[in-house]
Amino acid sequence: MAKESAKNASTTFSSRIYVMAAIFFAFAIISCTILFQAVYYPQVNNSARSQASNNAIYTIKEELLSINRNVLMIITGIGDPVSIVNVENSFANIDKQMADYESTDYRSEKEYERYLTAKEDVANLRAKINEYRYAIASLDIEEAKNVYTQQILVYQQSALEMFDAVIDNHRNYSLSQQERGRRVFYIATATMLAMLVIGEVAIFIIAKNAKKAQAELDRKAKQAEAADRKFKHSQEKINDIAYTNFLTGLKNRYALENDIGEKLANEQMNIAVFDMDNFRSINDIYGYDFGDEYLVMLAEKLNTDFSGFADIYNITGNEFCLVFKREISDTQAMRYAENVFAALSSVFSVANIGIQLPVTGCRYHYLPGECANLNALLLKIDNTIRNAKRNGGNSLQDVMGL
């Protein structure tokens, strides 16, 4: 009887052990499940959503840069009708990437506000390009550059800056979410350390995936740095284009405005402007390619002989401006202007044809405050040249100051 009672007690104890073990393992499994639901799954899910958002924004930036390149090719005449198609395809891809980005909710309110501003800039950029899509290729270089720099480039740069802000805000939001995930992870890990090996396995899995997620973030950070370098390089090229005459390689009127516009109120300077008389006859007789080659030769002559004494600008097709350096005296500047007049009036051989055109020029010893802005300065110079042309041209005049 006692033996039977002992056996029953043993059986009961064993049963209790099994029940407790079952409960323990069930608790361990439940804890692992809770750990998975609370830490692992959200991190993996958020990492995937974050990656999808970043991929969409990076692709949009690449397409904006592609649009900018194709528009520049159209303006410069390098591109062909395919460039317009490429622009349309880029906008179609931007629409798709925007839809992908908006379909995710893994973002902060501030990030989404920046995105909406960037989206509006993209819409404005598309509207401007559509407005000029057929006209821009037929505009002359100055008009096309004016359209590009004042109406297209503004929205493209603004959109890129806003998307950079979206990336920065998304990175900060992701870091905050990761920090929150890490806190939950540490609490769950501390709980699981008191349990069986299953907890350690779960921790190993989580750590492995966390490392993988961090590696992915590091890769995206490197991509962002590369994209930033590419954007800055693109900006430098855009600035070069905006301030350089496409044909002659000399600085243009925008560069002249940038260089002396703010100096007119406080500095004196010596300026000379030269306009080739009867230049249109060259194009009419020999063709525009011949006329372009003639202008290139004039620019090379000026750059070779006078760039040591003055900054040289090709402000219109056949009009050149020299701003003499500060160390050049007034007398020297006047003499150099005469030398420039003689150089431009000399014979140039273009395609084995000797070309010699008369030149009308003017010298201006500018004093501080004589003109409110560059437009007023050039208007005064143009009036002097125009009056000289009425009297036959082929002369070097002095602009009267105050």
Side-chain angles (χ1 to χ4, degrees):
M1 189 74 177
K3 185 178 180 180
E4 187 69 19
S5 296
K7 183 179 180 180
N8 291 336
S10 177
T11 302
T12 302
F13 180 76
S14 298
S15 299
R16 288 178 180 176
I17 292 295
Y18 291 137
V19 170
M20 291 177 64
I23 293 173
F24 183 84
F25 281 110
F27 182 74
I29 293 172
I30 293 172
S31 298
C32 289
T33 303
I34 294 174
L35 176 63
F36 181 86
Q37 294 292 334
V39 180
Y40 177 80
Y41 180 77
Q43 283 188 348
V44 172
N45 189 39
N46 289 343
S47 177
R49 290 188 293 171
S50 177
Q51 181 178 349
S53 296
N54 280 334
N55 286 342
I57 297 302
Y58 289 139
T59 301
I60 290 172
K61 288 186 62 178
E62 289 292 333
E63 292 296 347
L64 286 173
L65 292 174
S66 176
I67 290 170
N68 186 61
R69 287 193 296 270
N70 280 294
V71 171
L72 286 176
M73 290 175 68
I74 295 170
I75 292 175
T76 57
I78 299 175
D80 51 35
V82 177
S83 297
I84 289 294
V85 175
N86 291 337
V87 170
E88 293 173 349
N89 291 338
S90 292
F91 275 120
N93 194 20
I94 287 175
D95 290 340
K96 179 181 180 300
Q97 297 302 323
M98 284 183 173
D100 290 343
Y101 175 83
E102 292 171 8
S103 66
T104 65
D105 58 353
Y106 185 71
R107 56 177 174 260
S108 64
E109 293 183 2
K110 187 175 182 181
E111 173 190 342
Y112 196 60
E113 290 174 359
R114 298 294 186 274
Y115 167 77
L116 292 177
T117 301
K119 183 177 181 180
E120 182 178 355
D121 287 333
V122 171
N124 289 332
L125 175 64
R126 175 182 284 178
K128 284 299 178 183
I129 291 178
N130 286 336
E131 180 181 350
Y132 291 101
R133 62 180 295 184
Y134 295 113
I136 196 168
S138 63
L139 298 175
D140 63 45
I141 290 177
E142 292 296 325
E143 292 176 325
K145 286 191 299 181
N146 185 56
V147 169
Y148 171 73
T149 56
Q150 297 185 14
Q151 302 193 47
I152 294 177
L153 181 61
V154 173
Y155 290 119
Q156 191 257 0
Q157 289 178 329
S158 178
L160 287 172
E161 291 172 359
M162 284 298 100
F163 281 123
D164 282 339
V166 171
I167 292 172
D168 290 338
N169 280 277
H170 187 80
R171 183 184 300 113
N172 294 335
Y173 180 74
S174 296
L175 290 175
S176 68
Q177 293 300 305
Q178 291 174 28
E179 182 61 28
R180 178 178 175 275
R182 278 194 291 268
R183 288 195 298 269
V184 175
F185 171 77
Y186 293 144
I187 295 172
T189 302
T191 302
M192 291 303 298
L193 285 175
M195 311 185 94
L196 297 175
V197 177
I198 190 171
E200 296 178 0
V201 173
I203 292 171
F204 174 78
I205 294 173
I206 294 170
K208 182 178 180 181
N209 283 276
K211 184 178 180 180
K212 183 178 179 181
Q214 185 61 50
E216 182 66 18
L217 288 176
D218 292 341
R219 188 178 69 85
K220 288 299 182 183
K222 291 179 180 179
Q223 285 184 342
E225 292 176 2
D228 184 61
R229 289 194 298 269
K230 187 175 182 180
F231 172 70
K232 289 180 180 179
H233 183 63
S234 176
Q235 287 295 103
E236 292 174 358
K237 287 187 175 181
I238 290 172
N239 289 337
D240 290 341
I241 292 173
Y243 292 109
T244 303
N245 183 282
F246 289 110
L247 177 64
T248 62
L250 297 176
K251 292 192 286 187
N252 59 21
R253 177 169 176 159
Y254 297 107
L256 180 63
E257 170 71 31
N258 185 64
D259 292 346
I260 72 170
E262 296 182 356
K263 299 178 181 180
L264 296 176
N266 303 310
E267 296 186 19
Q268 70 174 14
M269 60 191 77
N270 287 295
I271 302 171
V273 175
F274 300 89
D275 188 286
M276 307 305 296
D277 296 340
N278 303 322
F279 175 74
R280 183 174 295 179
S281 63
I282 297 295
N283 290 333
D284 293 340
I285 297 172
Y286 300 105
Y288 286 96
D289 289 342
F290 187 95
D292 289 345
E293 182 64 25
Y294 176 61
L295 290 176
V296 170
M297 296 185 71
L298 293 178
E300 291 176 349
K301 178 68 173 177
L302 292 176
N303 193 51
T304 300
D305 294 353
F306 302 101
S307 60
F309 315 110
D311 294 319
I312 305 172
Y313 304 84
N314 187 185
I315 54 178
T316 63
N318 61 312
E319 192 172 23
F320 299 92
C321 174
L322 284 80
V323 179
F324 292 97
K325 298 182 178 181
R326 296 184 63 179
E327 60 268 21
I328 303 299
S329 68
D330 297 343
T331 302
Q332 289 175 317
M334 298 299 104
R335 187 172 68 253
Y336 284 136
E338 293 172 357
N339 293 341
V340 173
F341 179 83
L344 292 177
S345 302
S346 60
V347 178
F348 290 84
S349 178
V350 183
N352 296 323
I353 299 175
I355 299 297
Q356 184 178 26
L357 290 181
V359 182
T360 299
C362 68
R363 301 174 295 195
Y364 190 1
H365 178 60
Y366 177 83
L367 298 177
E370 286 191 341
C371 296
N373 51 47
L374 180 65
N375 288 335
L377 173 69
L378 294 180
L379 179 62
K380 182 179 291 188
I381 291 174
D382 286 343
N383 285 336
T384 301
I385 291 177
R386 190 178 297 110
N387 290 334
K389 284 180 177 288
R390 291 195 185 100
N391 294 322
N394 195 26
S395 62
L396 180 62
Q397 305 292 325
D398 291 313
V399 178
M400 300 302 295
L402 294 175

